[in-house]
Amino acid sequence: MYQLKTKQFLPLTIEQAWNFFSSPKNLKEITPAHMGFIIKTDNGNEKTYAGQIISYTVSPIAGIPMNWVTEITQVHEPHYFVDEQRFGPYAMWHHEHHFKEVDGGVEMNDIISYVIPFGILGQFANWLFVGKQVKQIFDYRYQKLEEMFRDKKIMKKQTAVLV
């Protein structure tokens, strides 16, 4: 099993971070275009929920499209959710998304655990290109989020008080 851990600070409230990341529709926006990422499922729900099945097409190798189906297995709003591959290119994929309120924004942590099929050939493929590709996707995501939220002002909830 291989694991990648990422950490990123975003100048957002925890509610803003949750609203963005818990909507499957936003995933395409933070995925490299060369991956050919297309969400095929439209279940009419803007937010992630436990038991949700999401179907994608991705083209990670030489533009060859592959089907990928994930299930949201755990949701603890607004602190974390977990998606797990049910069908797709990995023997196992488990992705934890964690959000923690910190001074000035949110610390976002991703923990990606995965297994490549095909035994020793899979290990070689991970060493040769899969591990690098997974890291590249999350490096891209990091940069994209920096661009998207760099100048974002935290919008605190305002309460009107009548005097």
Side-chain angles (χ1 to χ4, degrees), residues 89-100:
Y90 296 91
M92 188 273 287
W93 176 273
H94 180 92
H95 182 181
E96 302 174 39
H97 310 253
H98 296 269
F99 307 95
K100 179 175 138 186

Side-chain angles (χ1 to χ4, degrees), residues 6 8 21 27-28 30-32 37 95 97 108 110 112 135-148:
T6 67
Q8 185 169 13
F21 292 101
L27 191 53
K28 181 177 177 122
I30 58 174
T31 300
F37 183 86
H95 182 181
H97 310 253
M108 181 177 69
D110 286 291
I112 303 94
K135 185 177 180 319
Q136 178 190 43
I137 290 166
F138 283 88
D139 287 348
Y140 174 88
R141 184 170 292 179
Y142 184 97
Q143 290 301 321
K144 184 72 174 175
L145 291 167
E146 287 290 311
E147 291 169 17
M148 290 172 65

